[in-house]
Amino acid sequence: MENSENILERVKQLAKEKNMTLSEIEEKSDLAPRSIYSWKTKNPTGTKIQKVADTLNTTSDYLLGRSNDPSPIDEEDDPSMFFRIDMRNVPEEDRDEFKAQLKLLKDFAFKQIEEARKEQEKEDKNKK
């Protein structure tokens, strides 16, 4: 059960960082009491892992050990939908501005691609 122990350890670490108890996480995740602690000896379901990940504002990939980045993916027009960015080194007070700058970069890149596509179509048309 090494994998479930790793999941439990990651949950405990994030809980500690967020000043939450496992009981609080279970309650907010709509899980039975002491169910997270039982992950020490048995593997949790994907649904339970996702509920806990959502409660802890992280990803299931992080809890499962598939990623070492606990940063969540904010789906509302967030550049991390295109880039996976480790936000741990970005100070909390700078994160909104950092995301705004990444959005500008993403928009600029899409504009450049569209302009290049139009230029290529124009060249192709002139060749005919």
Side-chain angles (χ1 to χ4, degrees):
M1 293 295 155
E2 183 178 322
N3 188 38
S4 59
E5 286 183 47
N6 290 339
I7 296 169
L8 177 61
E9 290 308 312
R10 286 184 177 227
V11 170
K12 283 180 176 179
Q13 181 60 39
L14 286 175
K16 183 178 179 182
E17 290 173 13
K18 296 175 184 298
N19 296 315
M20 295 177 75
T21 66
L22 293 184
S23 296
E24 289 172 322
I25 295 167
E26 289 163 342
E27 185 177 323
K28 289 182 180 191
S29 301
D30 198 28
L31 300 177
R34 299 198 44 82
S35 60
I36 293 175
Y37 189 74
S38 74
W39 296 358
K40 186 172 186 167
T41 58
K42 64 180 185 176
N43 287 320
T45 65
T47 302
K48 290 179 181 178
I49 292 170
Q50 188 59 57
K51 285 180 176 184
V52 170
D54 291 344
T55 299
L56 290 171
N57 198 29
T58 190
T59 64
S60 57
D61 280 345
Y62 175 75
L63 294 181
L64 290 166
R66 294 178 186 156
S67 166
N68 287 324
D69 181 3
S71 303
I73 296 174
D74 181 3
E75 296 182 15
E76 289 188 22
D77 202 26
D78 187 334
S80 66
M81 293 299 293
F82 299 96
F83 312 114
R84 185 66 181 143
I85 299 169
D86 183 350
M87 297 288 279
R88 289 178 291 187
N89 294 327
V90 179
E92 191 71 38
E93 63 272 12
D94 294 336
R95 288 184 183 184
D96 287 341
E97 179 62 24
F98 188 81
K99 287 180 181 181
Q101 293 298 320
L102 285 174
K103 184 181 180 318
L104 290 173
L105 176 62
K106 177 194 71 150
D107 293 345
F108 175 77
F110 281 142
K111 183 177 178 185
Q112 292 296 105
I113 291 168
E114 184 62 28
E115 287 177 7
R117 182 178 295 122
K118 286 179 181 178
E119 186 64 34
Q120 185 63 47
E121 288 172 359
K122 190 176 178 182
E123 287 179 20
D124 291 347
K125 204 178 224 184
N126 288 337
K127 289 181 183 177
K128 293 181 181 179

